Amino acid sequence: MGDVSQKHSAQTVRDVPLFDGRGIDHVGIRYHDLQKAVGWFRDTLGLPVDHETRTMAFVRVGGDGSHLALFQAEGDEPLRQPHHVALRVPDTAAAEAAAEPPIRQVAP
């Protein structure tokens, strides 16, 4: 048997993070009945609704500024969950630049 610690998979963990993640800012979730979902989080779980419009609501989870971003699904839109996850970073532009795939120029 060989030394297993010397073997690496194609998916290895980076030694240095791509950017400075400070936590989860919000997780986006789509619902066919937004008002019912908002009511459940507010009335059943007791979570405060920090912002609400006809098509979205931000429900606070805990004291660190994390939220659930609830959205009204459009038509027969499939409810792929979570819809998105937003990370909290100190420098948005730097994180976006680090996460961008390199652009290759193709000669004409």
Side-chain angles (χ1 to χ4, degrees), residues 65-85:
S66 296
H67 286 82
L68 294 174
L70 313 179
F71 295 93
Q72 177 65 51
E74 298 179 15
D76 293 340
E77 174 183 12
L79 300 179
R80 295 177 301 274
Q81 305 300 0
H83 180 263
H84 68 271
V85 176

Side-chain angles (χ1 to χ4, degrees), residues 7-14:
K7 297 179 181 178
H8 297 285
S9 71
Q11 295 181 349
T12 58
V13 177
R14 296 176 64 88

